[in-house]
Amino acid sequence: MKTLKIGSVQLKNRYILAPMAGTTDMVFRSICSSFGAGMVCTEMVSAKAVSYGDKKSQALMEISPDEAPVSLQIFGSDPVLMGEVAAAIEGLPFSILDINMGCPVKKVFGNGEGSALMKDPHLAADIVRQITRRIKKPVTAKIRSGVDAMHINAVEVARRLEDAGASAVAVHGRTREQLYRGQADWDVIRQVKEAVDIPVIGSGDVTDPPSAERMLRETGCDGVMIGRAARGNPWIFKDLEDYEEKGTYGGRPGPSGIRDMILYHTQRLIEQKGERMAILQMRTHAPYYSRGLSGAASLREKINNVNTYGELEKVLAFFPEM
């Protein structure tokens, strides 16, 4: 099993859970860690909100002892503020601080944050520079291929980030304009890998172990970031390890295994957030866990109408496929 080192941080393997808003909370990260994720990433946190003492942002930065190493991702566009916030939170139990330069959401982009930083490589580099001056932990960034097809500048941005002190860069092979549509351009990832000396992590269109292996082979990247393919499928990290070591993998379990995971995931959410919030959040996870099952639409509808853990157990117990 090949591994990956980012700055002073040694990862367990080359497969990383991507940061995903509304998905990669502490519970889901811990579950993915238990299945072998080499590193897990938090949901993105607003540096400005952290500076205001926002309680929701504080909750997003909670980290469990059973998930390690953890990359904590922040976003913003003010280099000085980003540096100050980084220094203020460095004592939290994360291993790596990541800067979001890839979020395509309209509100974030409109504020000059996330993927909007791809329009200003100098500003992007200044943010990394201000942070690396203030903290000792490795600093990384997640970028896109560019803002649109006419402005593909991932290589330039990556070089500037490396010069500013970044310890690694993750490259999503889509433009901001594409959002998550169309095919990811892995050639951009290859170009970035050839242009910098720091580790490059590839992202985009990796859905299973064979596609992860193809990305590693075709781009030469040092690691693979798994995003949407991990939703409802934390088993993918075990599959990635198995495929690299043995050339085979088991895939998702059968209906009973999926049922057990839904219940376990819900139990963990209840422990952290209480029953009401846990049930509400499981409604967002259920469509991913149930995809591919016969009668999945009916199951999702029933789960959307449960209000307690007991009701969820009953729905799953009497569902034919479970």
Side-chain angles (χ1 to χ4, degrees):
M1 177 67 65
K2 293 184 179 179
T3 59
L4 171 60
K5 191 173 184 180
I6 298 176
S8 58
V9 179
Q10 181 67 58
L11 276 59
K12 293 181 286 188
N13 57 50
R14 300 181 288 176
Y15 308 113
I16 300 166
L17 174 67
M20 291 180 283
T23 298
T24 56
D25 62 2
M26 184 171 67
V27 170
F28 188 66
R29 296 195 309 268
S30 296
I31 291 172
C32 289
S33 288
S34 73
F35 280 101
M39 183 169 73
V40 294
C41 302
T42 70
E43 301 175 68
M44 66 178 191
V45 182
S46 166
K48 188 178 294 183
V50 172
S51 71
Y52 293 154
D54 177 64
K55 291 184 178 180
K56 289 184 179 180
S57 298
Q58 298 293 332
L60 290 175
M61 295 189 292
E62 291 182 4
I63 294 171
S64 167
D66 60 1
E67 44 163 340
V70 177
S71 171
L72 192 157
Q73 188 184 74
I74 62 174
F75 71 97
S77 59
D78 182 334
V80 174
L81 176 66
M82 295 280 278
E84 292 173 347
V85 168
I89 65 174
E90 187 177 15
L92 296 177
F94 62 89
S95 299
I96 291 171
L97 185 67
D98 186 62
I99 314 305
N100 184 301
M101 300 184 181
C103 179
V105 173
K106 184 177 181 180
K107 182 178 179 181
V108 174
F109 184 82
N111 286 337
E113 302 165 331
S115 59
L117 293 172
M118 298 296 296
K119 297 190 297 182
D120 192 341
H122 176 77
L123 176 60
D126 196 25
I127 289 172
V128 170
R129 188 174 296 108
Q130 290 291 336
I131 293 174
T132 55
R133 287 174 177 173
R134 299 291 300 271
I135 71 173
K136 294 181 179 179
K137 291 181 178 180
V139 177
T140 62
K142 188 170 189 290
I143 67 175
R144 283 186 170 244
S145 59
V147 175
D148 55 45
M150 298 299 293
H151 301 88
I152 305 296
N153 65 340
V155 169
E156 177 192 359
V157 172
R159 282 175 171 160
R160 286 178 178 262
L161 298 181
E162 179 181 33
D163 290 342
S167 294
V169 60
V171 184
H172 186 139
R174 288 185 175 86
T175 65
R176 184 267 165 180
E177 186 177 59
Q178 283 181 278
L179 300 177
Y180 298 97
R181 300 186 297 265
Q183 186 174 357
D185 184 358
W186 288 3
D187 194 53
V188 171
I189 301 171
R190 178 189 60 79
Q191 292 172 26
V192 171
K193 174 57 186 173
E194 293 174 353
V196 300
D197 293 324
I198 56 176
V200 173
I201 299 158
S203 174
D205 291 351
V206 172
T207 58
D208 54 22
S211 57
E213 190 275 332
R214 286 197 305 273
M215 174 180 276
L216 288 163
R217 183 180 69 251
E218 294 176 13
T219 70
C221 65
D222 303 282
V224 176
M225 189 164 273
I226 313 296
R228 289 174 291 168
R231 293 185 298 190
N233 186 20
W235 302 277
I236 193 171
F237 293 103
K238 183 179 186 304
D239 288 342
L240 289 162
E241 285 191 314
D242 286 347
Y243 190 73
E244 182 172 334
E245 292 181 334
K246 301 180 294 186
T248 60
Y249 64 99
R252 295 206 310 162
S256 63
I258 293 172
R259 176 200 62 208
D260 291 345
M261 178 55 71
I262 291 174
L263 292 174
Y264 174 70
H265 193 159
T266 306
Q267 291 166 0
R268 292 289 305 275
L269 287 171
I270 290 172
E271 291 170 6
Q272 185 192 6
K273 304 177 181 183
E275 186 175 49
R276 180 177 179 277
M277 184 59 67
I279 296 299
L280 290 174
Q281 290 195 358
M282 185 45 62
R283 292 175 184 174
T284 67
H285 289 283
Y288 301 111
Y289 278 121
S290 64
R291 63 188 170 192
L293 295 176
S294 176
S298 173
L299 176 62
R300 290 195 294 268
E301 182 179 355
K302 291 180 183 298
I303 290 177
N304 283 338
N305 287 295
V306 304
N307 294 295
T308 67
Y309 180 79
E311 291 174 1
L312 177 65
E313 278 188 309
K314 290 180 181 178
V315 164
L316 295 177
F318 289 101
F319 188 69
E321 284 295 311
M322 292 296 188

